[in-house]
């Protein structure tokens, strides 16, 4: 038996491992199984190229819990190690960077997640163990080796009696980490981290019901047999070529990833590239809701089929974090801080590639089946609009498939929309005005007034639309978006043929004064306009700029305008050509005039859903009294 010191010059490396190596101690199991997988795949490679003459067979990795002995076993049938290799790979390599590790991670390692950065994956076992044993036999014709270490820099290494090829790691669990002796906890971790590992992972056994033979009697009981409980799918869909998969395979894999999702995904994007970096994966567009934050962190990141995280910020463009699926790449550096990750050139290339693939897929879907794309628009628009806002290259590509739906449920690309409206919706200064509504029911009267003039009205109701309109206006010349309720219909698109007011200047001045005595000036600015006599007598509007800035601040941005705490301000547009307005002007008593103005104002507020609570109750009572 040999004894010795692990090659490390820093005595307190083990306390640091326990404290800093990973933020989650549960990671130790992932690391041990990853090592077992590597050992098995190395043997597969050597046998496939004829380097060794042993039979590869059908190896599995087995995990066993010995609750009574307070031990956890991880057993593989891989390449194994000789005594010399244990010396080399366990005692020396593991801590070759110990001093650098101490310096770099003593304050920040808890947040960094240093996967394999210094060959410390195996030593993660000491986060949960007071002793770790390695019993290993190489594929070479040499005796087995038995290594033991009790969480100090001292170890023992002696000849072992293991007869089968492979390695067994025995983790003696600490008293305060005994959750890792619970079978349910280990099953949970195996499913979380190793669900798609490329080597079958066995954890106990399960009962399998055998099918009854065709000639079995009706009352026959089906037989069961005990089979290995294999917890993983070694060949998940993303490891295959797209030509090998059908639509049902993609949908089945989606359910495997998200067993609690009962709706089918809208469509998928298969990622498969090996130059200038390696990346595979499948992204799914689920049905979206209007809350952008709820959707995030659903994409799972893997490294060689080992689960790493579902926080893919910095790797996947932010607008695509609302998608679901899997990305697997050995080229993503997972052993450093997020700030480094975001500056890494490989990651930037991967992010650009994913953006391009998503844009190309959307364009293909649009070109191949526009009707289906239009039906799905409301479920995918939030991702596309967010992408147009946040990624310039995506914005450019999206011009060919981004849709602008109308209140009549027709869909146009921007180019088609421009062709449709440029003649009728260009104002006297040559600006093309795109009218839109954000709520078809609440803005119905304004929409109808615009349609009566032959205008097209878009229905744009996503939470970030104000930001996107700002970007569209800045990217195109002589273009403005105006919400239909931001002014009376004649002012939405100013033409030369303006209506003439029936009132004289003196009458208009008196009328404005009469209204300002009654209308609360802290909420409404009275504005006299000559409109058609059959238009509404009073219209409440909110200026496009003010409203849009407030909306932008509510969804992030626009803060520099200081709109956040400003009171809601509206324009009260008085139609000087309406008969009711003439009646208000010519009313002899102040009391009756005030009553008419209040009632008319409340009717206008009611149409805008601005009349609520006590004021609404008073309005209804007053209206009934007038009917009586």
């Amino acid at each position: 038996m040999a004894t010795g010191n692990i090659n490390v010059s820093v005595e307190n490396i083990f306390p640091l491992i326990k404290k800093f190596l990973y933020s989650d101690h549960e990671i130790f199991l992932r690391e041990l199984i990853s090592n077992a997988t590597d050992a098995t795949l190395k043997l597969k490679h050597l046998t496939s190229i004829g380097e060794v003459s042993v039979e590869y067979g059908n190896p599995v990795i087995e995990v066993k819990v010995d609750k009574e002995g307070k031990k956890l076993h991880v057993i593989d049938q891989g390449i194994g190690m000789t005594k010399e290799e244990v010396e080399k790979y366990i005692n020396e390599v593991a801590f070759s960077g110990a001093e650098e590790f101490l310096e770099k991670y003593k304050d920040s390692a808890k947040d960094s997640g240093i996967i394999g950065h210094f060959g410390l994956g195996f030593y993660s076992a000491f986060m949960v163990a007071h002793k770790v044993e390695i019993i290993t036999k190489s594929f070479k014709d040499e005796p087995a080796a038995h290594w033991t270490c009790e969480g100090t820099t001292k170890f023992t290494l002696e000849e072992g009696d293991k007869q089968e090829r492979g390695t067994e790691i025995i983790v003696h669990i600490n008293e305060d980490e005994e959750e890792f002796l619970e079978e349910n906890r280990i099953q949970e971790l195996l499913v979380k981290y190793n669900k798609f590992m490329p080597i079958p992972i066995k954890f106990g056994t399960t009962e399998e019901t055998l099918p009854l033979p065709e000639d079995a009697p009706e009352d026959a009981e089906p037989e069961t047999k005990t089979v290995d409980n294999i917890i993983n799918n070694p060949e998940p869909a993303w490891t295959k070529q797209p030509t090998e998969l059908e639509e049902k395979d993609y949908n089945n894999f989606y359910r495997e990833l998200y067993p609690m999702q009962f709706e089918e995904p809208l469509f998928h994007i298969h990622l498969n590239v090996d130059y200038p970096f390696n990346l595979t994966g499948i992204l799914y567009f689920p049905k979206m809701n209007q809350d952008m934050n709820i959707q995030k962190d659903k994409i799972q990141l893997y490294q060689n089929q080992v689960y790493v995280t579902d926080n893919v910020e910095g790797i996947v463009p932010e607008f695509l974090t609302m998608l679901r699926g899997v990305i697997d790449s050995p080229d993503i550096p997972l052993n450093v801080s997020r700030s480094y990750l975001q500056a890494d050139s490989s990651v930037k290339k991967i992010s650009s590639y994913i953006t391009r693939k998503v844009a190309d897929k959307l364009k293909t879907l649009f070109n191949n089946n526009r009707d289906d794309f239009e039906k799905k628009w409301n479920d995918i628009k939030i991702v596309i609009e967010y992408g147009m806002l946040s990624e310039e290259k995506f914005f450019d590509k999206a011009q060919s498939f981004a849709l602008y739906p109308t209140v009549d449920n027709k869909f146009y690309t921007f180019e088609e929309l421009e062709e449709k409206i440029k003649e009728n919706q260009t104002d006297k200064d040559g600006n093309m005005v795109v009218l839109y509504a954000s709520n078809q029911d609440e803005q119905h009267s304004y929409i109808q007034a615009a349609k009566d003039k032959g205008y097209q009205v878009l229905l744009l109701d996503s939470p970030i639309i104000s930001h996107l309109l700002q970007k569209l206006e800045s990217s195109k010349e002589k273009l403005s978006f105006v919400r239909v309720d931001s002014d009376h219909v004649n002012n939405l698109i100013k033409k030369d043929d303006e209506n003439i007011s029936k009132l004289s200047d003196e009458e208009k001045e008196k009328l404005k004064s009469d209204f300002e005595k009654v209308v609360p000036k802290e909420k409404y600015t009275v504005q006299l306009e000559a409109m058609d006599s059959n238009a509404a007598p009073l219209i409440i509007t909110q200026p496009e700029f003010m409203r849009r800035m407030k909306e932008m601040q509510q969804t992030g941005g626009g803060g520099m305008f200081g709109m956040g705490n400003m009171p809601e301000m509206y324009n009260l547009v008085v139609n000087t050509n309406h008969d009711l307005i003439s009646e208000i002007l010519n009313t002899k008593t102040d009391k009756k005039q005030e009553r008419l103005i209040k009632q008319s104002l409340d009717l206008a507020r009611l149409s805008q859903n601005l009349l609520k609570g006590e004021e609404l109750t008073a309005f209804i009572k007053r209206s009934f009294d007038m009917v009586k």
Side-chain angles (χ1 to χ4, degrees):
M1 180 176 81
T3 62
N5 285 340
I6 295 168
N7 180 23
V8 56
S9 58
V10 186
E11 284 295 324
N12 61 352
I13 189 73
F14 279 98
L16 278 161
I17 283 174
K18 290 173 186 292
K19 190 172 181 183
F20 289 130
L21 186 54
Y22 296 104
S23 56
D24 291 327
H25 283 188
E26 66 184 39
I27 297 291
F28 86 93
L29 187 59
R30 180 190 74 182
E31 293 299 286
L32 295 183
I33 290 177
S34 296
N35 289 347
T37 302
D38 288 344
T40 310
L41 293 176
K42 280 176 187 171
L43 182 68
K44 183 180 184 181
H45 177 68
L46 291 175
T47 54
S48 69
I49 62 173
E51 189 80 14
V52 300
S53 57
V54 300
E55 187 179 337
Y56 178 66
N58 297 299
V60 298
I61 296 166
E62 183 173 10
V63 178
K64 294 197 293 190
V65 173
D66 175 3
K67 194 167 184 178
E68 203 171 299
K70 297 187 177 180
K71 292 181 286 189
L72 186 73
H73 301 252
V74 178
I75 306 160
D76 69 59
Q77 298 159 13
I79 199 166
M81 288 183 285
T82 63
K83 185 179 174 184
E84 290 72 24
E85 285 168 337
V86 172
E87 285 270 15
K88 179 179 179 183
Y89 295 121
I90 300 299
N91 295 341
E92 293 178 16
V93 175
F95 288 125
S96 60
E99 286 171 327
E100 186 187 350
F101 165 68
L102 281 175
E103 184 59 36
K104 186 167 184 178
Y105 289 101
K106 61 185 176 185
D107 297 323
S108 62
K110 207 169 176 81
D111 300 320
S112 302
I114 52 169
I115 298 168
H117 197 43
F118 298 103
L120 290 168
F122 162 73
Y123 278 89
S124 65
F126 284 99
M127 294 190 300
V128 301
H130 58 86
K131 180 166 86 171
V132 178
E133 299 177 69
I134 303 173
I135 303 169
T136 181
K137 180 169 172 56
S138 171
F139 70 95
K140 300 169 186 172
D141 187 19
E142 292 194 30
H146 185 174
W147 179 93
T148 306
C149 178
E150 298 193 12
T152 71
T153 54
K154 294 189 174 0
F155 69 89
T156 64
L157 180 59
E158 58 188 328
E159 190 172 306
D161 56 7
K162 183 175 171 61
Q163 299 300 310
E164 307 83 24
R165 178 191 71 232
T167 299
E168 177 175 5
I169 308 291
I170 305 171
V171 182
H172 295 256
I173 301 292
N174 287 331
E175 281 187 15
D176 58 350
E177 302 280 359
E178 288 186 3
E179 63 179 287
F180 300 114
L181 294 171
E182 299 295 333
E183 291 199 357
N184 287 345
R185 178 70 169 129
I186 297 301
Q187 172 87 12
E188 173 198 331
L189 293 179
L190 291 173
V191 170
K192 178 178 178 179
Y193 290 108
N194 307 107
K195 189 175 180 179
F196 300 112
M197 293 289 279
I199 306 299
I201 298 167
K202 175 187 173 184
F203 184 54
T205 58
T206 186
E207 294 294 314
E208 186 178 277
T209 303
L210 299 173
L212 287 169
E214 288 183 9
D215 57 352
E218 285 188 17
D219 58 349
E221 291 284 334
E223 291 184 17
T224 61
K225 69 171 181 177
T226 302
V227 295
D228 290 345
N229 178 33
I230 302 297
I231 61 94
N232 61 321
N233 170 7
E235 295 183 340
W238 84 80
T239 63
K240 300 174 183 176
Q241 292 296 318
T243 50
E244 300 175 58
L245 301 167
E246 297 178 4
E247 192 67 25
K248 67 176 183 181
D249 298 315
Y250 287 108
N251 288 342
N252 287 341
F253 180 58
Y254 182 76
R255 281 191 288 273
E256 196 174 349
L257 280 174
Y258 308 106
M260 300 309 292
Q261 283 296 320
F262 303 111
E263 287 186 310
E264 298 285 358
L266 297 168
F267 50 84
H268 65 267
I269 299 164
H270 197 130
L271 307 169
N272 194 341
V273 62
D274 54 19
Y275 182 82
F277 47 80
N278 282 291
L279 180 127
T280 54
I282 301 170
L283 297 180
Y284 293 92
F285 268 75
K287 285 195 170 185
M288 297 286 172
N289 64 25
Q290 293 284 63
D291 187 341
M292 293 157 56
N293 293 318
I294 278 179
Q295 303 288 348
K296 290 191 176 183
D297 290 350
K298 299 291 186 183
I299 295 174
Q300 299 176 12
L301 179 65
Y302 286 75
Q303 190 185 66
N304 293 325
Q305 294 176 238
V306 182
Y307 174 81
V308 178
T309 182
D310 64 0
N311 179 4
V312 293
E313 183 188 349
I315 299 162
V316 172
E318 188 178 358
F319 78 100
L320 294 178
T321 58
M322 292 183 280
L323 302 188
R324 295 192 176 127
V326 167
I327 290 172
D328 189 332
S329 175
D331 293 333
I332 295 173
L334 301 171
N335 51 354
V336 287
S337 66
R338 286 276 155 198
S339 57
Y340 178 92
L341 188 64
Q342 287 162 0
D344 185 81
S345 60
S346 298
V347 172
K348 285 182 177 175
K349 286 176 189 168
I350 287 170
S351 182
S352 295
Y353 165 77
I354 294 171
T355 299
R356 190 175 76 250
K357 281 290 286 186
V358 170
D360 291 346
K361 176 74 173 186
L362 289 166
K363 186 164 188 338
T364 301
L365 290 166
F366 175 79
N367 290 342
N368 291 352
N369 191 342
R370 177 161 176 168
D371 284 347
D372 186 58
F373 193 83
E374 288 179 0
K375 284 174 190 165
K376 290 173 177 172
W377 177 253
N378 279 332
D379 291 310
I380 62 175
K381 66 185 178 187
I382 192 76
V383 176
I384 295 172
E385 289 170 354
Y386 191 14
M388 290 171 72
L389 256 179
S390 56
E391 298 278 336
E392 203 60 43
K393 287 181 180 174
F394 187 82
F395 179 85
D396 295 338
K397 283 180 170 284
Q399 300 306 308
S400 60
F401 57 76
L403 292 177
Y404 298 85
T406 71
V407 291
D408 298 317
N409 208 32
K410 292 178 181 172
F411 293 82
Y412 300 106
T413 63
F414 193 84
E415 190 178 327
E416 293 165 348
L417 179 68
E418 193 173 21
E419 190 61 33
K420 184 88 176 167
I421 71 171
K422 65 182 178 184
E423 188 174 337
N424 196 29
Q425 291 182 217
T426 299
D427 68 14
K428 59 181 182 168
D429 298 318
N431 298 305
M432 189 175 78
V433 180
V434 182
L435 300 180
Y436 72 100
S438 59
N439 187 305
Q440 198 155 356
D441 291 332
E442 289 180 7
Q443 295 151 11
H444 182 268
S445 61
Y446 299 93
I447 294 168
Q448 197 55 51
K451 287 172 69 175
D452 288 345
K453 279 190 166 285
Y455 296 153
Q456 293 286 331
V457 181
L458 302 183
L459 182 60
L460 306 176
D461 57 4
S462 78
I464 56 170
I465 199 64
S466 296
H467 296 273
L468 183 58
L469 299 186
Q470 204 84 353
K471 183 170 178 64
L472 287 163
E473 287 170 340
S474 64
S475 70
K476 300 176 188 295
E477 290 185 4
K478 288 189 166 290
L479 169 71
S480 63
F481 284 82
V482 177
R483 206 166 86 176
V484 286
D485 60 345
S486 63
D487 211 330
H488 76 76
V489 71
N490 289 355
N491 275 356
L492 293 174
I493 306 173
K494 290 215 171 190
K495 306 281 188 176
D496 289 325
D497 52 338
E498 294 184 6
N499 286 322
I500 298 168
S501 176
K502 293 195 299 189
L503 303 183
S504 67
D505 289 345
E506 293 79 10
E507 287 173 317
K508 284 195 277 189
E509 201 172 312
K510 180 181 182 305
L511 182 68
K512 188 170 186 182
S513 174
D514 292 340
F515 266 85
E516 286 176 341
K517 287 174 194 170
V518 180
V519 174
K521 57 178 175 294
E522 67 277 6
K523 278 192 176 180
Y524 298 97
T525 301
V526 177
Q527 179 182 320
L528 304 185
E529 293 285 350
M531 296 186 267
D532 293 339
S533 58
N534 59 356
L538 295 181
I539 298 174
I540 294 173
T541 64
Q542 189 171 28
E544 177 75 15
F545 174 79
M546 295 275 289
R547 178 191 46 73
R548 200 189 291 185
M549 287 305 106
K550 285 179 73 68
E551 286 175 357
M552 286 173 67
Q553 194 193 47
Q554 286 164 7
T555 54
M560 73 287 290
F561 297 100
M563 299 285 174
N565 299 316
M566 285 186 66
E568 292 282 353
M569 286 293 294
Y570 298 93
N571 290 332
L572 179 64
V573 183
V574 180
N575 180 3
T576 60
N577 288 341
H578 196 281
D579 290 344
L580 175 60
I581 302 305
S582 296
E583 186 180 339
I584 289 171
L585 176 66
N586 297 318
T587 299
K588 301 300 181 195
T589 67
D590 291 346
K591 193 172 181 181
K592 183 180 178 185
Q593 187 183 64
E594 182 182 340
R595 191 173 75 248
L596 283 172
I597 292 173
K598 274 189 174 179
Q599 189 73 2
S600 302
L601 173 63
D602 282 352
L603 281 166
R605 292 171 71 198
L606 190 65
S607 73
Q608 274 284 61
N609 202 29
L610 294 172
L611 197 61
K612 295 175 182 175
E614 189 178 336
E615 290 179 315
L616 177 59
T617 304
F619 167 76
I620 293 169
K621 183 177 184 306
R622 189 169 69 243
S623 299
F624 279 130
D625 289 343
M626 289 173 70
V627 172
K628 285 192 292 186

